[in-house]
Amino acid sequence: MTTAPPTLSSSRPPADQVGAIAWFRKNLFSSWFSTLLTVVLGLLLVRTLTGFLTWATTTAKWAVIPANLPLFFVGRYPVAQYWRIWAIVAILATLSGLSWGILSRNMPKLFDRNILIGFGVAAAIAVLLPTPVLYRILLLAFLGLVLASAWIGRIVGRRMPQFGQWLSPAWLLSLLVVWWLIAGGIGLPWVQTNDWGGLMLTMFMSVSSILLCFPLGILLALGRQSKLPILRWVAIAFIEVIRGVPLITLLFVGAYMVPLFLPGGIRLNQLLLAIISLTLFSAAYLAENVRGGLQSVPRGQAEAANALGLNTFLATILIVLPQALKVSIPTIVGQFISLVQDTTLVGLLGSFEMLGISRSVLANPSFIGRYAEVYLFIGVIYWVLCYAMSLGSRRLEKQLNTTY
Amino acid sequence: MTQPQTELMTSSTGTEPMIVAENVEKWYDNNFHVLRGVSMTVTKGEVVVVMGPSGSGKSTFIRTFNALESYQKGSITVDGIKISHDLKNIDAIRREVGMVFQQFNLFPHLTVLQNVTLSPIWVRRWPKAKAEEVAMQLLERVGILSQAQKFPGQLSGGQQQRVAIARALAMQPKIMLFDEPTSALDPEMVREVLDVMRTLASSGMTMVCVTHEVGFAREVADRVVLMADGLLVEEGTPDEFFSNPKEDRTKKFLSQILH
């Protein structure tokens, strides 16, 4: 039963309902009260912004940043070994590019407008960075490397789709290589963990803890749902104890008390203890996120899998867990973002990750009082890290979306 | 239908018992006595339609045949294997019994083809190529071949249910259980699913169907059974059951569903 519209009206909404002016009227000046709010808040915003810009351009002494740039990025890592860090960046740039190209091989366009803008901004920052010219050229080269390997990955991925299976092993292998490059051994001089620092150490702690806490968190979530009472109780006890203790306490226990309990002479690496504490802490929270996901999978899914002859293990691995994890991506990535930020607490314990190294920079008599500049700088770096993760998670969600 | 599935097509209705349920009793966790001593025998190639008001225990009853539900008293033997109370032979039985659910229960994160090949690959340990070949034949049989690479969420309800039937058939089961397969479908999609079930029945498959589709029961069923309040009230050929019911409970039920 379809009735034709009485008249063929124009195919656009009335002009006063669309466009910028309509948007302003609707969202900012819809009543006298919202007009008042708009004006007051607008003034406040402008004052704050001009205040900040005035400070940033006149009062602030930014020299502290370029003077300590290596410290912020790699801490007291020996200068003669900087090439190893560059090599790591090159490896990661290549792998990221390849993965990006291969995974998005079926998208109509590889470099859309937003991505080009992002790369433009990154290139501008690389050029303007107050570092030796060589480093700036290297940074630009790495940006180019990402784009080039993405392009290559796309072509290879289209010709040989099975190539994508090698991505995960390649990433795992790269982790070992990165570890070897940072720490040394097998032909490279050793660099003590005490000399690791800055952004590099922050990333190292974050990535290690994320990789370790992910499987542990899943096991705990499954354990908590298990029909075996012992397993369930252990999982519940672990989760509830860890969640009831602040992270800083856990870090102190790891750093100062565990060595006391160990038989004399055994001294565990401080960095290792910190990573273990971070891992256990995040795993407990992650387990609860995953449990939420598990509970959101309808019971019929496991039943259908069982009815097809899949045992509980296979039904969980193949059917329930993938759906549960997909649902929990936003909360899991949220947990990972917290984890990155929680590494700053390790800095309070004397580690020279980005916050720790900033504190030591600020203790240098020639940079005394430059708190605002330094903290603003590392704040921006943390923001870039975390925002990249949340962008990545949104892409992943889109990629895995199979409901239409 | 390209190649006849020999295993599915041998023999017509015989006397070889495939499912023997004797005095099955079940209580839910809250002590609700859902099955109160139900006995039923299904022979090879037979198509049995189970009817009954909601809450009568009919779904629960057929779900005991592949051990999705446990039971506390009585005994159930499927294809010669006794379903013991501690569910030891569960995997062996489930390999031989396919099930189709009211809500389809397709795996939304897998494509149609992956849905159908999953179990043959992981449980039967078939090579992927063989599993896909069989899956494509089945998908063609149920008329979904062109949708093999889509995800379940992209299909209509009727298409999803046909995929679910293909998925169950991919394990080459000896028995198929249907738990209200058309109840969640839009009216215009009921027919396409029933057509697939009709074809399946005429191929000699042993089938137990919980359904309220009277036309299907009259045409295809060898036997129609009425369950009410956890008991088997009446059973008979479709003609006897619909035209000349003996029990008052059956008459009342039929008057309700036949409007």
Side-chain angles (χ1 to χ4, degrees):
Chain A
M1 227 184 33
T2 48
T3 47
T7 51
L8 281 173
S9 56
S10 68
S11 58
R12 285 161 172 275
D16 61 342
Q17 307 275 316
V18 290
I21 294 174
W23 187 91
F24 275 109
R25 194 186 303 149
K26 188 174 161 220
N27 291 292
L28 297 176
F29 304 102
S30 59
S31 67
W32 68 266
F33 184 67
S34 76
T35 307
L36 185 72
L37 267 182
T38 303
V39 171
V40 170
L41 289 178
L43 281 178
L44 253 169
L45 199 68
V46 169
R47 276 298 300 273
T48 316
L49 216 63
T50 50
F52 171 75
L53 286 177
T54 320
W55 169 83
T57 47
T58 57
T59 324
K61 296 201 170 62
W62 292 105
V64 60
I65 308 296
N68 298 291
L69 214 49
L71 281 179
F72 287 121
F73 283 109
V74 295
R76 294 178 303 185
Y77 205 81
V79 179
Q81 308 295 329
Y82 276 5
W83 67 268
R84 283 152 64 167
I85 308 296
W86 287 112
I88 290 171
V89 180
I91 291 173
L92 297 183
T94 313
L95 265 180
S96 321
L98 280 177
S99 311
W100 170 27
I102 289 175
L103 290 179
S104 59
R105 62 179 178 273
N106 294 326
M107 305 255 182
K109 257 171 100 182
L110 185 57
F111 307 123
D112 64 20
R113 201 179 47 140
N114 289 349
I115 286 168
L116 286 180
I117 292 175
F119 269 89
V121 171
I125 291 174
V127 171
L128 296 174
L129 264 187
T131 48
V133 177
L134 174 66
Y135 289 175
R136 292 191 236 177
I137 294 174
L138 276 172
L139 281 176
L140 272 183
F142 290 145
L143 282 177
L145 193 59
V146 174
L147 292 176
S149 46
W151 188 67
I152 292 171
R154 184 178 169 89
I155 292 172
V156 172
R158 282 187 170 178
R159 295 251 171 87
M160 298 177 282
Q162 72 275 18
F163 203 74
Q165 295 168 358
W166 293 99
L167 278 181
S168 310
W171 275 105
L172 279 179
L173 183 71
S174 81
L175 283 178
L176 292 178
V177 173
V178 165
W179 191 9
W180 167 63
L181 280 171
I182 295 181
I186 323 177
L188 286 178
W190 287 98
V191 179
Q192 296 298 317
T193 52
N194 288 341
D195 292 336
W196 306 7
L199 178 62
M200 181 195 82
L201 183 57
T202 297
M203 299 273 281
F204 185 85
M205 283 196 290
S206 308
V207 173
S208 311
S209 311
I210 284 173
L211 289 176
L212 292 171
C213 82
F214 187 60
L216 185 59
I218 290 175
L219 285 180
L220 283 169
L222 292 174
R224 189 163 190 167
Q225 302 249 303
S226 166
K227 290 193 185 92
L228 306 170
I230 303 277
L231 210 61
R232 194 170 62 239
W233 292 335
V234 169
I236 291 177
F238 178 88
I239 292 170
E240 295 306 338
V241 165
I242 297 279
R243 291 208 311 163
V245 177
L247 175 57
I248 190 78
T249 319
L250 213 60
L251 287 168
F252 272 117
V253 169
Y256 299 120
M257 291 176 66
V258 170
L260 294 181
F261 303 145
L262 287 174
I266 299 182
R267 287 190 56 203
L268 283 179
N269 184 300
Q270 285 294 318
L271 177 60
L272 182 68
L273 285 171
I275 288 176
I276 291 174
S277 302
L278 283 170
T279 300
L280 297 181
F281 183 79
S282 303
Y285 283 86
L286 199 82
E288 289 298 277
N289 295 339
V290 174
R291 184 166 71 107
L294 286 172
Q295 283 170 345
S296 78
V297 179
R299 215 167 72 103
Q301 290 288 309
E303 272 180 2
N306 287 335
L308 283 167
L310 296 167
N311 57 32
T312 312
F313 175 75
L314 284 178
T316 307
I317 294 291
L318 298 172
I319 303 302
V320 179
L321 202 52
Q323 297 183 55
L325 290 179
K326 197 171 88 179
V327 173
S328 349
I329 289 173
T331 50
I332 289 177
V333 174
Q335 183 57 41
F336 289 167
I337 288 175
S338 310
L339 178 58
V340 171
Q341 297 169 354
D342 286 343
T343 57
T344 51
L345 290 176
V346 185
L348 291 183
L349 263 70
S351 155
F352 289 113
E353 51 68 69
M354 218 161 29
L355 183 74
I357 207 82
S358 306
R359 282 153 50 97
S360 73
V361 164
L362 289 169
N364 181 337
S366 34
F367 301 116
I368 267 189
R370 299 272 76 89
Y371 296 103
E373 293 86 342
V374 167
Y375 286 137
L376 197 67
F377 175 69
I378 64 167
V380 168
I381 294 183
Y382 278 116
W383 178 80
V384 169
L385 278 184
C386 297
Y387 187 65
M389 289 170 76
S390 99
L391 270 186
S393 102
R394 258 179 278 164
R395 286 227 152 190
L396 190 64
E397 270 176 77
K398 241 193 219 164
Q399 195 119 38
L400 294 177
N401 180 28
T402 57
T403 54
Y404 295 86
Chain B
M1 226 188 292
T2 46
Q3 278 183 342
Q5 299 257 308
T6 45
E7 274 185 65
L8 305 181
M9 299 203 123
T10 47
S11 101
S12 54
T13 314
T15 48
E16 186 189 335
M18 292 299 284
I19 302 172
V20 182
E22 283 171 337
N23 290 314
V24 175
E25 291 194 60
K26 177 183 174 67
W27 287 262
Y28 280 139
D29 288 341
N30 56 10
N31 288 327
F32 177 68
H33 200 175
V34 57
L35 299 177
R36 305 198 287 169
V38 189
S39 299
M40 186 165 98
T41 301
V42 182
T43 55
K44 187 165 189 178
E46 201 180 9
V47 177
V48 177
V49 165
V50 182
M51 293 189 156
S54 77
S56 59
K58 55 193 189 306
S59 282
T60 308
F61 184 49
I62 74 160
R63 283 158 60 93
T64 57
F65 298 167
N66 64 348
L68 281 185
E69 300 280 354
S70 61
Y71 61 98
Q72 281 83 44
K73 277 175 85 176
S75 80
I76 298 176
T77 308
V78 175
D79 191 28
I81 308 169
K82 193 167 183 295
I83 303 182
S84 47
H85 292 276
D86 58 358
L87 307 177
K88 275 263 173 61
N89 301 315
I90 207 167
D91 291 333
I93 287 166
R94 283 173 178 167
R95 277 196 289 272
E96 309 307 331
V97 182
M99 185 161 204
V100 175
F101 300 85
Q102 181 176 358
Q103 300 295 341
F104 329 138
N105 293 350
L106 292 180
F107 307 131
H109 62 302
L110 302 177
T111 63
V112 164
L113 185 61
Q114 288 168 333
N115 263 279
V116 180
T117 56
L118 182 88
S119 196
I121 289 175
W122 286 91
V123 179
R124 292 256 190 247
R125 300 257 160 221
W126 288 358
K128 198 176 168 206
K130 180 186 176 190
E132 287 188 347
E133 194 191 321
V134 171
M136 292 309 250
Q137 282 173 20
L138 285 168
L139 287 175
E140 187 176 9
R141 215 168 131 185
V142 299
I144 312 275
L145 191 58
S146 57
Q147 324 274 351
Q149 301 302 334
K150 289 192 180 168
F151 287 99
Q154 291 165 288
L155 304 184
S156 73
Q159 289 173 325
Q160 290 194 43
Q161 193 60 300
R162 284 185 280 152
V163 172
I165 295 173
R167 178 177 71 175
L169 289 177
M171 285 295 280
Q172 305 192 326
K174 295 181 180 158
I175 301 164
M176 283 286 283
L177 307 174
F178 291 84
D179 189 0
E180 305 206 28
T182 56
S183 301
L185 294 175
D186 290 338
E188 77 270 22
M189 292 169 181
V190 170
R191 188 188 185 84
E192 60 190 55
V193 172
L194 290 181
D195 281 344
V196 170
M197 290 169 64
R198 257 182 217 115
T199 319
L200 193 60
S202 64
S203 75
M205 174 65 77
T206 310
M207 290 163 63
V208 182
C209 315
V210 172
T211 179
H212 294 143
E213 297 293 336
V214 175
F216 175 81
R218 271 185 183 281
E219 188 190 333
V220 177
D222 297 304
R223 193 149 45 105
V224 183
V225 167
L226 184 83
M227 277 185 74
D229 303 322
L231 289 168
L232 204 151
V233 175
E234 175 163 1
E235 60 180 313
T237 63
D239 258 1
E240 292 166 9
F241 185 89
F242 291 112
S243 313
N244 193 16
K246 295 186 222 38
E247 303 289 332
D248 288 344
R249 191 70 189 81
T250 313
K251 288 174 190 160
K252 189 177 161 223
F253 176 75
L254 288 176
S255 75
Q256 278 163 340
I257 64 164
L258 294 174
H259 313 295

